[in-house]
Amino acid sequence: MSIDVGERILATLRDVPDFPEPGVTFKDITPVIADAELFADVVRAHAEPWQGRVDAVAGLEARGFIFGAAIALHMGLGFVPVRKAGKLPGPTIGVDYALEYGTARIEVQREAVAPGARVLVVDDVLATGGTAAAACELLETCGAVVPGVEVLVEIEALGGRDVLAGRAVRSLVTV
């Protein structure tokens, strides 16, 4: 990844104050994916260090689907959707995880990954790290090996990397 891609991401991201609730600043990735050239460069920057090192890419609902599916396609790999509870047909396996106020559940289809498959976890923003950590745990419960977590933006002050201690975590930009 060139520094230019990171600078372009930072110049293109849009902060939306008080969304989805007061006190939260939402990182809007829509302008990044609307710029075809930048989006392609982002996908290449995410994929490059993992080429030949992973067997599949898992994307976290919902914005992780955008990057994860594009990265998987770019790498010639399959895509594994990690969804909110009740959104996938057929037998699923899930994990509950803590949110700031309550809990949530994510799921994958039971046969989504082959035992021993190396699966890269992808999301748009790493904030507190709870969803990414839950996704790693879920995929490992299915028998996958998770060599790393790849995100577009890391919000350093929220400490998400600490929750993923011991895992390779890579962000294209840190704010």
Side-chain angles (χ1 to χ4, degrees), residues 124-141:
D124 62 328
V125 175
L126 176 62
T128 63
T131 307
C136 292
E137 178 187 336
L138 176 59
L139 292 163
E140 290 168 347
T141 298

Side-chain angles (χ1 to χ4, degrees), residues 8 24 32 54 58 69 73 88-90 94 106 121-122 127 129-131 141 146 153 157 165:
R8 288 168 47 216
V24 173
V32 174
V54 295
L73 181 63
L88 291 169
I106 54 174
V121 170
V122 175
T131 307
T141 298
V146 179
V153 179

Side-chain angles (χ1 to χ4, degrees), residues 16-31:
V16 180
D18 298 319
F19 183 82
E21 59 186 57
V24 173
T25 300
F26 183 82
K27 295 293 183 190
D28 185 8
I29 56 103
T30 306

